Amino acid sequence: MSFVTEMADKLAQDTLKAMDELGEDRLYMDVAKVLAAASTTLEEAYLTSIRVRLAERRGRAFLIDFIRAKRAGTAPPQSE
């Protein structure tokens, strides 16, 4: 992992924590705007990390819901 990627990923992790704590689900877009003004390279790496982490969250939530439904004998959620 490159230095830029590592920095971007750490910022993405911190941003997601802040989003969860504050209930600000679009905060990452504001952070990206600040980054874009200073470094498009860092902005791109940051947005990639955010997207991957948000996708992982959605995938994990789906998996948990699917397993719970199957164990309960109810219809599992449908993938979108």
Side-chain angles (χ1 to χ4, degrees):
M1 199 180 271
S2 75
F3 176 68
V4 171
T5 305
E6 288 177 17
M7 285 185 4
D9 190 55
K10 177 62 176 137
L11 182 57
Q13 290 177 51
D14 293 344
T15 301
L16 290 170
K17 286 178 188 175
M19 288 168 52
D20 292 343
E21 179 183 331
L22 303 172
E24 295 286 336
D25 64 342
R26 303 297 286 176
L27 177 60
Y28 74 94
M29 295 301 297
D30 293 330
V31 174
K33 287 179 189 177
V34 171
L35 292 176
S39 171
T40 56
T41 301
L42 185 57
E43 176 205 15
E44 289 171 10
Y46 167 78
L47 284 173
T48 297
S49 184
I50 285 286
R51 288 182 190 113
V52 168
R53 288 178 176 281
L54 288 174
E56 188 272 342
R57 281 183 176 190
R58 286 190 292 271
R60 186 168 301 281
F62 173 81
L63 178 62
I64 289 168
D65 291 345
F66 189 93
I67 292 169
R68 281 186 185 146
K70 287 299 233 178
R71 287 179 178 162
T74 59
Q78 297 296 311
S79 61
E80 296 178 22

